[in-house]
Amino acid sequence: MFCTTCEILSGALIVITAYLLFQWFLRTLKVGDFNQKYVLVTGCDTGFGNMLAKQLDELGFNVFAACLTKEGVADLRGCCTQKLEAFLMNVTKKEEIEKAEKLVRSRLPDDKGLWALVNNAGVLGTFLFPECMTRKHYDEVMDVNIYGTIGVTTAFLPLLRVSRGRIVNVSSIFGKVTPSTCIPYCISKHAVESYSNGLRCALIIQNVTVHIIQPGGFATNLTSFETIERRAIRDFEASPIEVQQYYGKKAFDHFISVLRDITGYLDTNLQRVVSCHIHAITARYPKYRYTPGFDAQFLIPLLRMLPVWLSDRISIFKPEPPAGLKTVKTQ
């Protein structure tokens, strides 16, 4: 009996090992003719999008780099080959998306479509207490992070069908968890996850694949402490006086110090994320989901396995109670 069990376990181990090796081998296979493929990347002014556009250009792809600012366009035009075309496009403006679609279509050969669309454009919004958030805070991140992604995808999907191409949507670990002080951003990234999952199922029979990049915490212009602090101070001071008094200066200052500590631990190796983008674009058999970053790969999955009461308390580690809460307790 013991020998039989060992044989079964050994056989299972061999099968699993063989499967993993075969899967690894498939992931190493690349598509060919990079110089004949066209890729559109949004949000190319700085950070991941800027690095990705430059590296795709170096690999020989024909790159359409959509930027929000003239400075972003000038940067890419100044350091990339003529195969890269940088242009302005605000993903929240329907007319700008339509203009970009006409531009891309005019540059494509008659028998070519888009090989890949990378929906990278995104904003972080304000990190602050829930009562300080207004409809404007939610609209700001939703307009870019999800409605912009939907608008761009819808406009360019016909060109992706021509090439039997792929869509790469940038989500976040905050598409899986929701800390209490960045609810608008988390909602937008949960929406990206849901949209991507539904879109993937819808496009299977259309020979267009959908892939999600779900980074952990990385140090970019969006996540700089100075930027986050400035927005938090501005919006806290704009909150109703009753809300400011309830939380109090001590709780707000503690919140800012926590943000400072967290941003100090952000991963500075942006190449971890960009390499996932490149694999999703160049691999013959890309993954459906990429999770670059130690926190994305290990910490968040572990947190989601815990009971809710425990994961909630870990998420609000060492909070400073609002001043108003102390007042209520002493009555």
Coordinates of all heavy atoms in Angstrom, one line a residue, residues 74-111:
A74 N 7.4 65.7 -27.6 CA 8.8 66.2 -28.0 C 9.8 65.2 -27.5 O 10.8 65.0 -28.2 CB 9.0 67.6 -27.4
D75 N 9.7 64.7 -26.3 CA 10.7 63.8 -25.7 C 10.8 62.6 -26.6 O 12.0 62.2 -26.9 CB 10.3 63.4 -24.3 CG 11.1 62.2 -23.7 OD1 12.3 62.4 -23.6 OD2 10.5 61.2 -23.4
L76 N 9.7 62.0 -27.0 CA 9.8 60.7 -27.8 C 10.3 61.0 -29.2 O 11.1 60.2 -29.7 CB 8.4 60.1 -27.8 CG 7.9 59.5 -26.5 CD1 6.5 59.0 -26.6 CD2 8.8 58.3 -26.1
R77 N 9.9 62.1 -29.7 CA 10.4 62.4 -31.1 C 11.9 62.7 -31.1 O 12.5 62.5 -32.1 CB 9.6 63.6 -31.6 CG 8.2 63.3 -32.0 CD 7.4 64.6 -32.5 NE 6.1 64.3 -32.9 CZ 5.2 65.2 -33.3 NH1 5.5 66.5 -33.3 NH2 4.0 64.9 -33.7
G78 N 12.4 63.2 -30.0 CA 13.8 63.6 -29.9 C 14.7 62.4 -29.7 O 15.9 62.5 -30.0
C79 N 14.2 61.3 -29.2 CA 15.1 60.2 -28.9 C 14.8 58.9 -29.6 O 15.5 57.9 -29.4 CB 15.2 59.9 -27.4 SG 13.6 59.4 -26.7
C80 N 13.7 58.8 -30.3 CA 13.3 57.6 -31.0 C 13.5 57.7 -32.5 O 13.7 58.7 -33.1 CB 11.9 57.2 -30.7 SG 11.6 56.9 -28.9
T81 N 13.4 56.5 -33.2 CA 13.5 56.5 -34.6 C 12.2 57.1 -35.3 O 11.2 57.3 -34.6 CB 13.7 55.1 -35.1 OG1 12.5 54.3 -35.0 CG2 14.8 54.4 -34.4
Q82 N 12.3 57.2 -36.6 CA 11.1 57.8 -37.3 C 10.0 56.8 -37.4 O 8.9 57.2 -37.8 CB 11.6 58.2 -38.7 CG 12.5 59.4 -38.7 CD 12.9 59.9 -40.1 OE1 12.6 59.2 -41.1 NE2 13.6 61.0 -40.2
K83 N 10.2 55.5 -37.0 CA 9.2 54.5 -37.0 C 8.2 54.8 -35.9 O 7.1 54.3 -35.9 CB 9.7 53.1 -36.9 CG 10.5 52.7 -38.1 CD 11.0 51.3 -38.0 CE 9.8 50.3 -38.1 NZ 10.3 48.9 -38.1
L84 N 8.6 55.5 -34.9 CA 7.7 55.8 -33.8 C 7.0 57.2 -34.1 O 7.6 58.2 -34.4 CB 8.5 56.0 -32.4 CG 7.6 56.3 -31.2 CD1 8.2 55.5 -30.0 CD2 7.5 57.8 -30.9
E85 N 5.7 57.1 -34.0 CA 4.9 58.3 -34.2 C 4.2 58.7 -32.9 O 3.4 58.0 -32.4 CB 3.8 58.1 -35.3 CG 3.0 59.4 -35.5 CD 2.6 59.5 -37.0 OE1 2.9 58.6 -37.8 OE2 2.0 60.5 -37.3
A86 N 4.7 59.9 -32.4 CA 4.1 60.4 -31.1 C 3.1 61.5 -31.4 O 3.3 62.3 -32.3 CB 5.2 60.9 -30.2
F87 N 2.0 61.5 -30.7 CA 0.9 62.4 -31.0 C 0.1 62.7 -29.7 O 0.2 61.9 -28.7 CB 0.0 62.0 -32.1 CG -0.6 60.6 -31.8 CD1 -1.8 60.5 -31.1 CD2 0.1 59.5 -32.2 CE1 -2.3 59.2 -30.9 CE2 -0.5 58.2 -32.0 CZ -1.7 58.1 -31.3
L88 N -0.7 63.7 -29.7 CA -1.5 64.1 -28.5 C -2.8 63.3 -28.5 O -3.4 63.2 -29.6 CB -1.7 65.6 -28.5 CG -0.5 66.5 -28.2 CD1 -0.9 68.0 -28.4 CD2 0.0 66.3 -26.8
M89 N -3.2 62.8 -27.4 CA -4.5 62.2 -27.2 C -4.9 62.1 -25.8 O -4.2 61.5 -25.0 CB -4.5 60.8 -27.8 CG -5.9 60.2 -27.7 SD -6.1 58.5 -28.4 CE -5.2 57.5 -27.2
N90 N -5.9 62.8 -25.4 CA -6.5 62.7 -24.1 C -7.6 61.7 -24.1 O -8.6 61.8 -24.9 CB -7.1 64.1 -23.7 CG -7.7 64.1 -22.3 OD1 -8.1 63.1 -21.7 ND2 -7.7 65.3 -21.7
V91 N -7.4 60.6 -23.4 CA -8.3 59.4 -23.5 C -9.7 59.7 -22.9 O -10.6 58.9 -23.1 CB -7.7 58.2 -22.7 CG1 -6.3 57.8 -23.3 CG2 -7.5 58.5 -21.2
T92 N -9.9 60.9 -22.3 CA -11.2 61.2 -21.8 C -12.0 62.0 -22.8 O -13.2 62.3 -22.6 CB -11.1 62.1 -20.5 OG1 -10.6 63.3 -20.8 CG2 -10.3 61.4 -19.5
K93 N -11.4 62.4 -24.0 CA -12.0 63.2 -25.0 C -12.3 62.3 -26.2 O -11.4 61.8 -26.9 CB -11.1 64.3 -25.4 CG -10.6 65.2 -24.3 CD -11.8 65.9 -23.6 CE -11.2 66.9 -22.6 NZ -12.4 67.6 -21.9
K94 N -13.6 62.1 -26.5 CA -14.0 61.2 -27.6 C -13.5 61.8 -28.9 O -13.1 61.0 -29.8 CB -15.6 61.2 -27.6 CG -16.1 60.3 -28.7 CD -17.6 60.3 -28.7 CE -18.1 59.4 -29.9 NZ -19.6 59.4 -29.9
E95 N -13.5 63.1 -29.1 CA -13.1 63.6 -30.4 C -11.6 63.4 -30.6 O -11.1 63.2 -31.7 CB -13.4 65.1 -30.5 CG -12.7 66.0 -29.4 CD -13.5 66.1 -28.1 OE1 -14.5 65.3 -27.9 OE2 -13.2 67.0 -27.3
E96 N -10.8 63.4 -29.5 CA -9.4 63.2 -29.7 C -9.1 61.7 -29.9 O -8.1 61.4 -30.7 CB -8.6 63.6 -28.4 CG -8.6 65.1 -28.2 CD -7.7 65.6 -27.2 OE1 -6.7 64.9 -26.9 OE2 -7.9 66.7 -26.6
I97 N -9.9 60.8 -29.4 CA -9.7 59.4 -29.7 C -10.1 59.1 -31.1 O -9.3 58.4 -31.8 CB -10.6 58.5 -28.8 CG1 -10.2 58.7 -27.3 CG2 -10.6 57.1 -29.2 CD1 -11.1 57.9 -26.3
E98 N -11.1 59.7 -31.6 CA -11.5 59.5 -33.0 C -10.5 60.1 -34.0 O -10.2 59.5 -35.0 CB -12.9 60.2 -33.3 CG -14.0 59.6 -32.5 CD -15.3 60.3 -32.7 OE1 -15.3 61.5 -33.1 OE2 -16.4 59.8 -32.4
K99 N -9.9 61.2 -33.6 CA -8.8 61.8 -34.4 C -7.6 60.9 -34.4 O -7.0 60.7 -35.5 CB -8.4 63.2 -33.8 CG -7.4 63.9 -34.6 CD -7.1 65.3 -34.0 CE -6.0 66.0 -34.8 NZ -5.7 67.3 -34.2
A100 N -7.3 60.3 -33.3 CA -6.1 59.4 -33.2 C -6.4 58.1 -34.1 O -5.5 57.6 -34.7 CB -5.8 59.0 -31.8
E101 N -7.6 57.7 -34.0 CA -8.0 56.5 -34.8 C -7.8 56.7 -36.3 O -7.3 55.9 -37.0 CB -9.4 56.0 -34.5 CG -9.8 54.7 -35.0 CD -10.3 54.7 -36.4 OE1 -10.7 55.8 -36.9 OE2 -10.3 53.7 -37.1
K102 N -8.2 57.9 -36.7 CA -8.0 58.2 -38.2 C -6.5 58.3 -38.5 O -6.1 57.9 -39.6 CB -8.7 59.5 -38.5 CG -10.3 59.4 -38.4 CD -10.9 60.8 -38.6 CE -12.4 60.7 -38.5 NZ -13.1 62.0 -38.8
L103 N -5.8 58.9 -37.6 CA -4.3 59.0 -37.8 C -3.7 57.7 -38.0 O -2.9 57.4 -38.9 CB -3.7 59.8 -36.7 CG -2.1 59.8 -36.7 CD1 -1.6 60.6 -37.9 CD2 -1.6 60.5 -35.4
V104 N -4.0 56.8 -37.0 CA -3.4 55.4 -37.0 C -3.8 54.7 -38.3 O -3.0 54.0 -39.0 CB -3.8 54.7 -35.8 CG1 -3.4 53.2 -35.9 CG2 -3.2 55.3 -34.5
R105 N -5.1 54.8 -38.6 CA -5.6 54.1 -39.8 C -4.9 54.6 -41.1 O -4.6 53.8 -42.0 CB -7.1 54.2 -39.9 CG -7.8 53.4 -41.0 CD -9.3 53.6 -41.0 NE -10.0 53.1 -39.8 CZ -10.4 51.9 -39.7 NH1 -10.2 51.0 -40.7 NH2 -11.0 51.5 -38.6
S106 N -4.6 55.9 -41.1 CA -4.0 56.4 -42.3 C -2.5 56.0 -42.5 O -2.0 56.0 -43.6 CB -4.1 57.9 -42.3 OG -3.2 58.5 -41.3
R107 N -1.9 55.6 -41.3 CA -0.5 55.2 -41.4 C -0.3 53.7 -41.6 O 0.8 53.2 -41.9 CB 0.2 55.6 -40.0 CG 0.2 57.1 -39.8 CD 1.1 57.8 -40.7 NE 1.4 59.2 -40.3 CZ 0.6 60.2 -40.6 NH1 -0.5 60.1 -41.4 NH2 0.9 61.4 -40.1
L108 N -1.4 52.9 -41.4 CA -1.3 51.5 -41.6 C -1.4 51.1 -43.0 O -2.2 51.6 -43.8 CB -2.4 50.8 -40.8 CG -2.4 50.9 -39.3 CD1 -3.7 50.3 -38.7 CD2 -1.2 50.1 -38.7
P109 N -0.5 50.1 -43.4 CA -0.7 49.6 -44.8 C -2.1 49.0 -45.0 O -2.7 48.6 -44.0 CB 0.4 48.5 -44.8 CG 1.4 48.9 -43.8 CD 0.6 49.5 -42.7
D110 N -2.5 48.8 -46.2 CA -3.9 48.4 -46.5 C -4.2 47.0 -45.9 O -5.3 46.8 -45.5 CB -4.1 48.3 -48.0 CG -4.1 49.7 -48.6 OD1 -4.3 50.7 -47.9 OD2 -3.8 49.8 -49.9
D111 N -3.2 46.1 -45.8 CA -3.5 44.8 -45.3 C -3.1 44.6 -43.8 O -3.1 43.5 -43.3 CB -2.7 43.8 -46.1 CG -1.2 44.0 -46.1 OD1 -0.8 45.1 -45.8 OD2 -0.5 43.0 -46.3

